[in-house]
């Protein structure tokens, strides 16, 4: 039985245990999760997907990701901000995404809010909450990985104050993990080694 530490995959390399549960997760774990993401549209996509994931498993979102990209104009903020009531109605019938009215409405409202921000402002705001890596202990097991931190709580509060909906402290922390603001790959994980080597 695993103690929650890194587990060897078919290639013999050690990975975070969740990163070996499905082929989709192996690719996402190895190539995306924890690697730095920049750019307003790219971060808007992650923000939206993390909000849609709330209450669901991440694999559900991951397997619909291309459907989300098609439905939401590649998460190009000005394009989504221009969506009409007819677009919202269309999204509620789109089987390629999660058809949750509150999450769809929040995505459209967030795009309209962000469309008024300066270029790079979302990127700068989110990354301003990245903690100093030297202050963070390296997780040895999945039990060492937090679900929420002071930084994610502050980021969620700041986004809410600026009119961004459906992003609580847990969702904000998942965003920070996914976009590389923090490195929660386990101590023996091959991706942590790759990130350290640059």
């Amino acid at each position: 039985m695993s103690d929650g530490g890194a587990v060897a995959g078919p290639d013999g390399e050690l990975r975070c245990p969740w990163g070996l549960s499905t082929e989709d997760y192996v690719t996402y774990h190895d190539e995306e999760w924890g690697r730095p993401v920049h750019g307003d549209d790219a971060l808007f996509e992650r923000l939206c997907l993390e909000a849609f994931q709330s209450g669901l498993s991440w694999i559900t979102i991951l397997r619909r990701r291309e459907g989300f990209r098609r439905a939401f104009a590649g998460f190009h903020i000005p394009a989504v901000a221009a969506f009409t009531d007819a677009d919202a109605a269309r999204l509620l019938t789109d089987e390629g995404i999660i058809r949750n009215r509150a999450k769809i409405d929040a995505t459209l409202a967030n795009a309209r809010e962000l469309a008024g921000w300066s270029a790079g402002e979302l990127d700068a705001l989110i990354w301003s909450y990245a903690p100093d890596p030297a202050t963070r202990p390296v997780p040895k097991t999945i039990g060492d990985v937090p679900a929420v931190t002071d930084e994610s709580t502050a980021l969620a509060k700041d986004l809410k104050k600026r009119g961004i909906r459906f992003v609580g402290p847990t969702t904000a922390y998942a965003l920070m993990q996914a976009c590389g603001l923090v490195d929660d790959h386990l101590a023996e994980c091959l991706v942590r080694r790759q990130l350290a080597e640059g």
Side-chain angles (χ1 to χ4, degrees), residues 50-115:
E50 294 294 349
F52 271 99
Q53 186 268 331
S54 180
L56 302 169
S57 67
W58 179 244
I59 197 70
T60 301
I61 303 302
L62 198 56
R63 288 178 174 162
R64 287 176 170 79
R65 192 172 186 179
E66 290 309 314
F68 275 106
R69 286 174 171 166
R70 282 191 300 275
F72 289 100
F75 292 99
H76 183 52
I77 293 169
V80 181
F83 277 21
T84 63
D85 288 346
D87 289 306
R90 169 184 57 82
L91 290 167
L92 284 169
T93 66
D94 190 331
E95 295 182 3
I97 67 170
I98 303 301
R99 295 169 289 174
N100 177 296
R101 180 179 292 278
K103 294 175 182 181
I104 289 170
D105 288 348
T107 299
L108 303 189
N110 289 346
R112 291 178 191 124
E113 181 64 40
L114 292 170

Side-chain angles (χ1 to χ4, degrees), residues 26-40:
V26 173
T27 301
Y28 179 68
H29 170 272
D30 288 4
E31 298 176 10
E32 282 194 71
W33 194 75
R35 295 181 187 271
V37 173
H38 285 283
D40 292 343

